[in-house]
Each structure stands twice: as C-alpha cells, then as structure tokens.
Coordinates of all heavy atoms in Angstrom, one line a residue:
M403 N 0.8 -1.3 0.0 CA 0.0 0.0 0.0 C 0.8 1.3 0.0 O 1.8 1.3 0.7 CB -0.9 0.0 1.2 CG -2.3 -0.3 0.8 SD -3.7 -0.1 1.8 CE -3.2 0.9 3.2
K404 N 0.4 2.1 -0.8 CA 1.1 3.4 -0.8 C 0.6 4.4 0.2 O -0.6 4.5 0.4 CB 1.0 4.0 -2.2 CG 2.2 3.8 -3.2 CD 2.0 4.7 -4.4 CE 3.1 4.4 -5.4 NZ 2.8 5.1 -6.6
I405 N 1.5 5.1 0.8 CA 1.1 6.1 1.7 C 1.0 7.5 1.0 O 1.9 7.9 0.4 CB 2.1 6.3 3.0 CG1 2.0 4.9 3.7 CG2 1.6 7.4 3.9 CD1 3.2 4.8 4.7
K406 N -0.1 8.1 1.0 CA -0.4 9.3 0.4 C 0.4 10.5 1.1 O 0.1 10.6 2.4 CB -1.8 9.7 0.3 CG -2.3 9.7 -1.1 CD -3.7 10.4 -1.3 CE -4.3 10.1 -2.6 NZ -5.7 10.5 -2.5
K407 N 1.2 11.2 0.4 CA 1.9 12.2 1.1 C 1.0 13.5 0.9 O 0.7 13.9 -0.1 CB 3.2 12.5 0.4 CG 4.4 11.8 1.2 CD 5.7 12.5 0.7 CE 6.8 11.9 1.5 NZ 8.1 12.2 0.9
I408 N 0.8 14.1 2.1 CA 0.1 15.4 2.1 C 1.1 16.5 2.3 O 2.0 16.5 3.1 CB -0.9 15.5 3.3 CG1 -1.9 14.3 3.2 CG2 -1.6 16.8 3.3 CD1 -2.7 14.1 4.5
P409 N 1.1 17.4 1.3 CA 2.1 18.5 1.4 C 2.0 19.3 2.6 O 0.9 19.7 3.0 CB 1.8 19.3 0.2 CG 0.6 18.8 -0.5 CD 0.2 17.6 0.2
Q410 N 3.0 19.5 3.4 CA 3.0 20.1 4.6 C 3.9 21.4 4.6 O 4.9 21.4 3.9 CB 3.5 19.2 5.8 CG 2.7 18.0 5.9 CD 2.3 17.7 7.3 OE1 3.0 18.0 8.3 NE2 1.2 17.1 7.6
R411 N 3.4 22.3 5.3 CA 4.1 23.6 5.3 C 4.2 24.1 6.8 O 3.4 23.8 7.6 CB 3.5 24.7 4.6 CG 3.5 24.4 3.0 CD 4.8 24.5 2.4 NE 4.9 24.3 1.0 CZ 4.9 23.1 0.4 NH1 5.1 22.0 1.2 NH2 4.9 23.0 -0.8
M412 N 5.3 24.8 7.0 CA 5.4 25.3 8.4 C 4.6 26.7 8.7 O 4.8 27.6 7.8 CB 6.9 25.5 8.8 CG 7.1 25.8 10.2 SD 8.7 25.6 10.8 CE 9.6 26.9 10.0
C413 N 3.9 26.7 9.7 CA 3.2 27.9 10.1 C 4.3 28.9 10.7 O 5.0 28.6 11.5 CB 2.1 27.6 11.1 SG 1.5 29.1 11.9
T414 N 4.1 30.2 10.2 CA 5.0 31.2 10.6 C 4.8 31.6 12.1 O 5.7 32.2 12.7 CB 4.8 32.5 9.7 OG1 4.8 32.0 8.3 CG2 5.9 33.5 9.8
G415 N 3.6 31.3 12.6 CA 3.3 31.7 13.9 C 3.8 30.6 15.0 O 4.6 30.9 15.7
C416 N 3.1 29.4 14.9 CA 3.5 28.4 15.9 C 4.6 27.5 15.5 O 5.1 26.7 16.2 CB 2.2 27.6 16.1 SG 1.5 26.8 14.7
L417 N 5.1 27.6 14.2 CA 6.2 26.9 13.6 C 5.9 25.4 13.6 O 6.8 24.6 13.6 CB 7.5 27.1 14.5 CG 7.9 28.6 14.6 CD1 9.2 28.7 15.5 CD2 8.1 29.3 13.4
E418 N 4.6 25.1 13.7 CA 4.2 23.7 13.4 C 4.0 23.3 12.0 O 3.6 24.1 11.2 CB 2.9 23.3 14.2 CG 3.3 23.0 15.6 CD 1.9 22.9 16.4 OE1 1.0 22.2 15.9 OE2 1.9 23.4 17.5
M419 N 4.3 22.1 11.6 CA 4.0 21.6 10.2 C 2.5 21.4 10.1 O 2.1 20.5 10.9 CB 4.9 20.4 9.9 CG 6.4 20.7 9.9 SD 6.9 22.0 8.7 CE 6.9 20.9 7.2
K420 N 1.9 21.8 9.1 CA 0.5 21.6 8.9 C 0.2 21.2 7.4 O 1.0 21.8 6.6 CB -0.4 22.8 9.4 CG -0.2 23.2 10.8 CD -1.4 22.7 11.6 CE -1.1 22.8 13.1 NZ -1.7 24.0 13.6
P421 N -0.9 20.5 7.2 CA -1.2 20.3 5.8 C -1.5 21.7 5.1 O -2.2 22.5 5.8 CB -2.5 19.5 5.8 CG -2.6 18.8 7.3 CD -1.8 19.8 8.1
K422 N -1.0 21.9 3.9 CA -1.1 23.1 3.3 C -2.5 23.6 3.3 O -2.8 24.9 3.3 CB -0.7 22.8 1.8 CG 0.4 23.7 1.3 CD 0.8 23.2 -0.1 CE 0.9 24.3 -1.1 NZ 1.4 23.8 -2.5
K423 N -3.5 22.8 3.2 CA -4.9 23.2 3.1 C -5.3 24.0 4.3 O -6.3 24.7 4.3 CB -5.7 22.0 3.0 CG -6.0 21.6 1.5 CD -7.2 20.5 1.5 CE -7.0 19.7 0.2 NZ -7.7 18.5 0.3
E424 N -4.7 23.7 5.4 CA -5.1 24.4 6.7 C -4.4 25.6 6.9 O -4.6 26.3 7.9 CB -4.9 23.4 7.9 CG -5.7 22.2 7.9 CD -5.4 21.2 9.0 OE1 -4.7 21.6 9.9 OE2 -5.7 20.0 8.8
L425 N -3.6 26.0 6.0 CA -2.9 27.3 6.2 C -3.3 28.3 5.1 O -3.7 28.0 4.1 CB -1.3 26.9 6.0 CG -0.8 25.8 6.9 CD1 0.5 25.4 6.5 CD2 -0.7 26.5 8.4
I426 N -3.0 29.5 5.5 CA -3.2 30.6 4.5 C -1.8 31.0 4.0 O -0.8 31.1 4.8 CB -3.9 31.8 5.2 CG1 -5.2 31.4 5.8 CG2 -4.1 33.0 4.3 CD1 -5.9 32.6 6.6
R427 N -1.7 31.3 2.8 CA -0.5 31.6 2.1 C -0.4 33.0 1.9 O -1.3 33.8 1.4 CB -0.4 30.8 0.7 CG 1.0 31.1 0.1 CD 1.0 30.1 -1.1 NE 2.3 30.2 -1.6 CZ 2.5 30.7 -3.0 NH1 1.6 31.0 -3.7 NH2 3.8 30.7 -3.4
V428 N 0.7 33.6 2.2 CA 1.0 35.0 2.0 C 2.1 35.1 1.0 O 3.1 34.3 1.1 CB 1.5 35.8 3.3 CG1 1.7 37.3 2.9 CG2 0.5 35.7 4.4
V429 N 2.1 35.8 -0.1 CA 3.0 35.6 -1.1 C 3.6 37.0 -1.5 O 3.0 38.0 -1.5 CB 2.5 34.9 -2.3 CG1 1.4 35.8 -3.0 CG2 3.4 34.4 -3.3
K430 N 4.9 36.9 -1.8 CA 5.5 38.1 -2.4 C 5.9 37.9 -3.8 O 6.6 37.0 -4.1 CB 6.8 38.4 -1.5 CG 7.4 39.7 -2.0 CD 8.7 40.0 -1.2 CE 9.9 39.5 -1.8 NZ 11.2 39.9 -1.1
S431 N 5.4 38.8 -4.6 CA 5.7 38.6 -6.1 C 7.1 39.1 -6.5 O 7.8 39.7 -5.7 CB 4.7 39.5 -6.9 OG 5.0 40.9 -6.7
K432 N 7.4 38.8 -7.6 CA 8.8 39.3 -8.2 C 9.0 40.7 -7.9 O 10.1 41.3 -7.8 CB 8.9 38.9 -9.6 CG 9.6 37.6 -9.9 CD 9.9 37.6 -11.3 CE 10.2 36.1 -11.8 NZ 10.0 35.9 -13.3
E433 N 7.8 41.4 -8.1 CA 7.9 43.0 -8.0 C 7.9 43.4 -6.6 O 8.0 44.6 -6.3 CB 6.6 43.5 -8.7 CG 6.6 43.4 -10.2 CD 6.2 42.0 -10.6 OE1 5.4 41.3 -9.9 OE2 6.7 41.6 -11.6
G434 N 7.8 42.4 -5.6 CA 7.9 42.8 -4.3 C 6.6 43.1 -3.6 O 6.6 43.6 -2.5
E435 N 5.6 42.8 -4.3 CA 4.3 43.1 -3.7 C 3.8 42.0 -3.0 O 3.7 40.9 -3.3 CB 3.3 43.5 -4.9 CG 2.1 44.2 -4.4 CD 1.1 44.2 -5.5 OE1 1.4 44.1 -6.7 OE2 -0.2 44.1 -5.2
V436 N 3.4 42.3 -1.7 CA 2.9 41.2 -0.8 C 1.4 41.1 -0.8 O 0.7 42.2 -0.9 CB 3.3 41.5 0.7 CG1 2.8 40.5 1.6 CG2 4.9 41.6 0.7
S437 N 0.8 40.0 -1.0 CA -0.6 39.8 -0.9 C -1.0 38.4 -0.2 O -0.1 37.5 -0.1 CB -1.1 39.8 -2.4 OG -0.5 38.9 -3.2
V438 N -2.2 38.4 0.1 CA -2.7 37.2 0.8 C -3.2 36.3 -0.5 O -4.1 36.7 -1.1 CB -3.9 37.5 1.7 CG1 -4.4 36.1 2.3 CG2 -3.3 38.3 2.8
D439 N -2.7 35.1 -0.6 CA -3.0 34.2 -1.7 C -4.0 33.2 -1.3 O -3.7 32.1 -0.6 CB -1.7 33.6 -2.3 CG -2.0 32.6 -3.3 OD1 -3.0 32.7 -4.0 OD2 -1.0 31.8 -3.6
L440 N -5.3 33.5 -1.7 CA -6.3 32.5 -1.2 C -6.4 31.3 -2.1 O -7.0 30.3 -1.8 CB -7.6 33.2 -1.0 CG -7.6 34.4 0.0 CD1 -9.1 35.1 -0.1 CD2 -7.5 33.7 1.3
T441 N -5.9 31.4 -3.3 CA -5.9 30.4 -4.3 C -4.7 29.3 -4.1 O -4.8 28.2 -4.5 CB -5.9 30.8 -5.7 OG1 -4.7 31.6 -6.0 CG2 -7.0 31.9 -5.9
G442 N -3.6 29.8 -3.5 CA -2.4 29.1 -3.3 C -1.6 28.9 -4.7 O -0.8 28.1 -4.8
K443 N -2.1 29.7 -5.7 CA -1.5 29.5 -7.0 C -0.6 30.6 -7.4 O -0.1 30.6 -8.5 CB -2.5 29.2 -8.0 CG -3.2 27.8 -7.7 CD -4.1 27.5 -8.9 CE -4.7 26.1 -8.7 NZ -6.1 26.1 -8.1
K444 N -0.6 31.6 -6.6 CA 0.2 32.8 -7.1 C 1.7 32.5 -7.1 O 2.2 31.7 -6.3 CB 0.0 34.0 -6.2 CG -1.3 34.7 -6.5 CD -1.4 36.0 -5.7 CE -2.9 36.5 -5.7 NZ -3.1 37.7 -4.8
N445 N 2.3 33.1 -8.0 CA 3.8 32.9 -8.1 C 4.6 33.8 -7.2 O 4.0 34.9 -6.9 CB 4.3 33.2 -9.6 CG 3.9 32.1 -10.5 OD1 4.0 31.0 -10.2 ND2 3.5 32.5 -11.7
G446 N 5.6 33.3 -6.7 CA 6.4 34.1 -5.8 C 6.9 33.5 -4.6 O 6.6 32.2 -4.4
R447 N 7.4 34.2 -3.7 CA 7.9 33.6 -2.4 C 6.8 33.6 -1.4 O 6.2 34.6 -1.1 CB 9.1 34.4 -2.0 CG 9.9 33.9 -0.8 CD 10.9 34.9 -0.3 NE 11.5 34.5 0.9 CZ 12.7 33.8 1.0 NH1 13.4 33.7 -0.2 NH2 13.1 33.5 2.1
G448 N 6.6 32.4 -0.9 CA 5.4 32.3 0.0 C 5.8 31.9 1.4 O 6.7 31.3 1.8
A449 N 4.9 32.4 2.3 CA 4.9 32.1 3.8 C 3.6 31.6 4.1 O 2.6 32.0 3.6 CB 5.4 33.2 4.6
Y450 N 3.5 30.7 5.1 CA 2.3 30.1 5.5 C 1.9 30.4 6.9 O 2.8 30.6 7.7 CB 2.3 28.6 5.3 CG 2.4 28.2 3.8 CD1 3.7 28.2 3.2 CD2 1.3 27.9 3.1 CE1 3.7 27.9 1.9 CE2 1.4 27.6 1.8 CZ 2.7 27.5 1.2 OH 2.7 27.3 -0.2
I451 N 0.6 30.5 7.1 CA 0.2 30.7 8.6 C -1.1 30.0 8.8 O -2.0 29.9 7.9 CB 0.1 32.2 8.8 CG1 -0.1 32.5 10.4 CG2 -1.0 32.9 8.0 CD1 0.4 33.9 10.8
C452 N -1.3 29.5 10.0 CA -2.5 28.9 10.4 C -3.7 29.8 10.4 O -3.5 30.9 10.4 CB -2.5 28.3 11.8 SG -1.2 27.1 12.2
K453 N -4.9 29.3 10.2 CA -6.0 30.1 10.3 C -6.4 30.4 11.7 O -7.4 30.0 12.2 CB -7.2 29.4 9.6 CG -7.1 29.4 8.1 CD -8.2 28.7 7.3 CE -7.9 28.5 5.9 NZ -8.8 27.7 5.2
S454 N -5.5 31.0 12.4 CA -5.7 31.2 13.8 C -5.1 32.7 14.1 O -4.0 33.0 13.8 CB -5.0 30.2 14.5 OG -4.4 30.7 15.8
V455 N -6.0 33.4 14.9 CA -5.6 34.8 15.3 C -4.3 34.7 16.2 O -3.5 35.5 16.0 CB -6.6 35.5 16.0 CG1 -6.2 36.9 16.3 CG2 -7.8 35.6 15.0
D456 N -4.2 33.6 16.9 CA -2.9 33.4 17.8 C -1.8 33.3 17.1 O -0.7 34.0 17.3 CB -3.2 32.1 18.6 CG -4.0 32.2 19.9 OD1 -4.3 33.4 20.2 OD2 -4.2 31.3 20.6
C457 N -1.8 32.5 16.0 CA -0.7 32.4 15.2 C -0.3 33.7 14.4 O 0.9 34.1 14.3 CB -0.9 31.3 14.1 SG -0.8 29.6 14.9
L458 N -1.4 34.4 14.1 CA -1.1 35.7 13.4 C -0.5 36.6 14.3 O 0.5 37.3 13.9 CB -2.5 36.2 12.9 CG -2.4 37.6 12.1 CD1 -1.7 37.4 10.8 CD2 -3.8 38.2 11.8
Q459 N -0.9 36.7 15.5 CA -0.3 37.5 16.4 C 1.2 37.2 16.8 O 2.0 38.0 16.9 CB -1.1 37.5 17.8 CG -1.5 38.9 18.3 CD -3.0 38.9 18.7 OE1 -3.4 38.0 19.3 NE2 -3.7 40.0 18.3
K460 N 1.4 35.9 16.9 CA 2.8 35.5 17.1 C 3.7 36.0 15.9 O 4.8 36.4 16.1 CB 2.9 33.9 17.2 CG 2.7 33.5 18.6 CD 2.8 31.9 18.7 CE 2.0 31.4 19.8 NZ 1.8 29.9 19.7
A461 N 3.2 35.7 14.8 CA 3.9 36.0 13.6 C 4.1 37.5 13.4 O 5.2 38.0 13.1 CB 3.3 35.5 12.3
F462 N 3.2 38.3 13.9 CA 3.3 39.7 13.9 C 4.3 40.2 14.9 O 5.2 41.0 14.6 CB 1.9 40.4 14.2 CG 1.8 41.8 14.2 CD1 1.9 42.5 13.0 CD2 1.7 42.5 15.4 CE1 1.9 43.9 13.1 CE2 1.7 43.9 15.4 CZ 1.7 44.6 14.2
K463 N 4.2 39.7 16.1 CA 5.2 40.1 17.1 C 6.6 39.8 16.8 O 7.5 40.5 17.1 CB 4.7 39.4 18.5 CG 3.7 40.3 19.2 CD 3.5 39.7 20.6 CE 2.2 40.2 21.1 NZ 1.5 39.4 22.2
S464 N 6.8 38.6 16.3 CA 8.2 38.1 16.1 C 8.7 38.6 14.8 O 9.9 38.4 14.4 CB 8.2 36.6 16.1 OG 7.4 36.0 15.0
K465 N 7.8 39.2 14.1 CA 8.1 39.7 12.7 C 8.7 38.6 11.8 O 9.4 38.8 10.8 CB 9.2 40.9 12.8 CG 8.8 42.1 13.4 CD 9.6 43.3 12.9 CE 9.1 44.7 13.7 NZ 7.9 45.1 13.3
K466 N 8.2 37.4 12.1 CA 8.7 36.2 11.3 C 8.2 36.3 9.9 O 8.9 35.9 9.0 CB 8.1 35.0 12.0 CG 9.1 34.3 12.9 CD 9.6 33.0 12.4 CE 11.0 32.7 12.9 NZ 11.0 32.5 14.3
L467 N 7.0 36.8 9.6 CA 6.4 36.9 8.3 C 7.3 37.8 7.5 O 7.6 37.5 6.3 CB 5.0 37.5 8.5 CG 4.0 36.9 7.4 CD1 4.0 35.4 7.4 CD2 2.6 37.5 7.7
E468 N 7.7 38.9 8.1 CA 8.6 39.9 7.4 C 10.0 39.2 7.1 O 10.5 39.3 6.0 CB 8.9 41.1 8.3 CG 8.0 42.2 8.0 CD 7.0 42.4 9.2 OE1 6.8 41.3 9.9 OE2 6.5 43.4 9.4
K469 N 10.5 38.5 8.0 CA 11.7 37.8 7.9 C 11.7 36.8 6.7 O 12.5 36.6 5.8 CB 12.2 37.2 9.2 CG 12.9 38.2 10.0 CD 13.3 37.6 11.4 CE 13.5 38.7 12.4 NZ 13.3 38.1 13.7
N470 N 10.5 36.0 6.7 CA 10.4 34.9 5.7 C 10.3 35.5 4.4 O 10.8 34.9 3.4 CB 9.2 34.0 6.0 CG 9.5 33.0 7.0 OD1 10.6 32.9 7.6 ND2 8.4 32.2 7.4
L471 N 9.6 36.6 4.2 CA 9.4 37.2 2.8 C 10.4 38.2 2.5 O 10.4 38.8 1.5 CB 7.9 37.7 2.8 CG 6.8 36.7 3.0 CD1 5.5 37.4 2.8 CD2 6.9 35.7 1.9
E472 N 11.3 38.5 3.5 CA 12.3 39.5 3.3 C 11.8 40.8 2.9 O 12.4 41.4 1.9 CB 13.4 38.9 2.3 CG 14.1 37.7 2.9 CD 15.1 37.0 1.8 OE1 14.8 37.3 0.7 OE2 15.9 36.3 2.3
T473 N 10.7 41.3 3.4 CA 10.2 42.6 3.1 C 9.3 43.0 4.3 O 9.0 42.3 5.2 CB 9.3 42.4 1.8 OG1 9.0 43.7 1.5 CG2 8.0 41.6 2.1
S474 N 9.0 44.3 4.3 CA 8.1 44.9 5.3 C 6.7 44.6 4.8 O 6.3 44.5 3.6 CB 8.3 46.3 5.5 OG 8.0 46.9 4.3
I475 N 5.9 44.2 5.8 CA 4.5 43.8 5.5 C 3.4 44.9 6.0 O 3.5 45.2 7.1 CB 4.2 42.5 6.0 CG1 5.0 41.4 5.2 CG2 2.6 42.2 5.9 CD1 5.0 40.1 5.9
D476 N 2.7 45.3 5.1 CA 1.7 46.4 5.4 C 0.7 45.9 6.4 O 0.4 44.7 6.5 CB 1.1 46.8 4.1 CG 0.5 48.2 4.1 OD1 -0.6 48.3 4.6 OD2 1.2 49.1 3.6
E477 N 0.2 46.8 7.1 CA -0.8 46.5 8.2 C -2.1 45.9 7.4 O -2.8 45.0 7.9 CB -1.2 47.8 9.0 CG -1.7 47.5 10.3 CD -2.0 48.7 11.0 OE1 -1.3 49.8 10.9 OE2 -3.1 48.8 11.7
K478 N -2.3 46.4 6.2 CA -3.3 45.9 5.3 C -3.4 44.4 5.2 O -4.4 43.7 5.2 CB -3.2 46.5 4.0 CG -4.4 47.2 3.4 CD -4.1 48.1 2.2 CE -3.1 47.4 1.2 NZ -2.7 48.3 0.1
I479 N -2.2 43.8 5.0 CA -2.0 42.4 5.0 C -2.5 41.7 6.2 O -3.2 40.7 6.1 CB -0.5 42.0 4.6 CG1 -0.1 42.7 3.2 CG2 -0.4 40.6 4.5 CD1 -0.9 42.2 2.0
Y480 N -2.0 42.2 7.3 CA -2.4 41.6 8.5 C -4.0 41.7 8.8 O -4.5 40.7 9.3 CB -1.7 42.2 9.7 CG -0.3 41.9 9.8 CD1 0.7 42.8 9.4 CD2 0.2 40.6 10.2 CE1 2.0 42.4 9.5 CE2 1.5 40.2 10.3 CZ 2.5 41.2 10.1 OH 3.7 40.8 10.1
N481 N -4.5 42.8 8.3 CA -6.0 42.9 8.4 C -6.7 42.0 7.6 O -7.7 41.3 8.0 CB -6.3 44.4 8.2 CG -6.1 45.3 9.3 OD1 -5.9 44.9 10.4 ND2 -5.9 46.6 8.9
T482 N -6.2 41.8 6.4 CA -6.8 40.9 5.4 C -6.8 39.5 6.0 O -7.7 38.7 5.9 CB -6.1 40.9 4.1 OG1 -6.0 42.2 3.6 CG2 -6.8 40.1 3.0
L483 N -5.6 39.1 6.5 CA -5.5 37.8 7.2 C -6.5 37.6 8.3 O -7.1 36.5 8.4 CB -4.0 37.7 7.7 CG -2.9 37.4 6.6 CD1 -1.6 37.5 7.3 CD2 -3.1 36.0 6.0
K484 N -6.5 38.7 9.1 CA -7.4 38.5 10.3 C -8.9 38.3 9.8 O -9.5 37.6 10.5 CB -7.3 39.9 11.1 CG -7.4 39.6 12.6 CD -7.3 40.9 13.4 CE -6.0 41.4 13.7 NZ -6.0 42.7 14.3
E485 N -9.2 39.0 8.8 CA -10.6 38.8 8.2 C -10.8 37.4 7.8 O -11.9 36.8 8.0 CB -10.8 39.8 7.1 CG -11.4 41.1 7.5 CD -11.3 42.2 6.5 OE1 -11.3 42.0 5.3 OE2 -11.0 43.4 7.0
Q486 N -9.8 36.8 7.2 CA -9.9 35.5 6.7 C -10.1 34.5 7.9 O -10.8 33.5 7.8 CB -8.7 35.0 6.0 CG -8.4 35.6 4.7 CD -9.7 35.4 3.8 OE1 -10.2 34.4 3.6 NE2 -10.1 36.5 3.1
M487 N -9.5 34.8 9.0 CA -9.6 33.9 10.2 C -10.9 34.0 10.9 O -11.4 33.1 11.6 CB -8.4 34.3 11.2 CG -7.0 33.8 10.5 SD -5.7 34.6 11.2 CE -4.4 34.0 10.0
K488 N -11.5 35.2 10.8 CA -12.8 35.4 11.4 C -13.9 34.5 10.8 O -14.8 34.0 11.5 CB -13.2 36.8 11.2 CG -13.0 37.7 12.5 CD -13.6 39.0 12.3 CE -12.5 40.2 12.5 NZ -12.8 41.4 11.8
D489 N -13.7 34.1 9.5 CA -14.7 33.4 8.8 C -14.7 31.8 9.3 O -15.7 31.1 9.0 CB -14.4 33.4 7.3 CG -14.7 34.8 6.7 OD1 -15.3 35.6 7.5 OD2 -14.2 35.1 5.7
E490 N -13.6 31.5 9.9 CA -13.5 30.1 10.2 C -14.3 29.6 11.4 O -14.3 30.4 12.3 CB -11.9 29.7 10.4 CG -11.1 29.7 9.1 CD -11.7 28.7 8.0 OE1 -11.7 27.5 8.5 OE2 -12.0 29.1 6.9
Ligands
ZN1114 ZN1 0.2 28.2 13.6

C-alpha cells in the first residue's frame, strides 16, 4: 500500500508543520508586492500561517512573516489575514 503524502508547510506563527490546506499563504511577487494568496497558486515567495488569530499575532510580534518574505508587510495584509480567520 502506498502512503499518500500530504504536502506540509510550516506555520509562521506556531512553527508547526500543517497540511497546506489548513494554512493561509502570503506571497511576495517578483515585483515585491505582498498579498494574501487564497488560491495558493500565485507565483512568488510564500509564507504560510494557520487560520488562527493566535498564530497571526505570534507571527506579527516576532516579525517572522517579514523575515520569511524578506520585506516589510503592510498592516493591510495583517488585516486581510485577520478577516480570513474570522470566517473560520
Ligand atoms: Zn500556527
């Protein structure tokens, strides 16, 4: 029997490995523009975060998201993420 591999990514907040589907992707394009990628298909450098306000706060405080994407992240992005998390 084959074991199905589920792609896993590390959350920027809690640093746990989670199935990609359970995470939200933040992506930085070639042009350096940061956006929340809800389709998971945008090109660029990506960072992942759980759909949890706790993780978002952790990532915000530690500036891990900034470090991962090697850019500064607009408050707008954090607000967009927060809105996504409210729906869950
Ligand atoms: Zn997390």
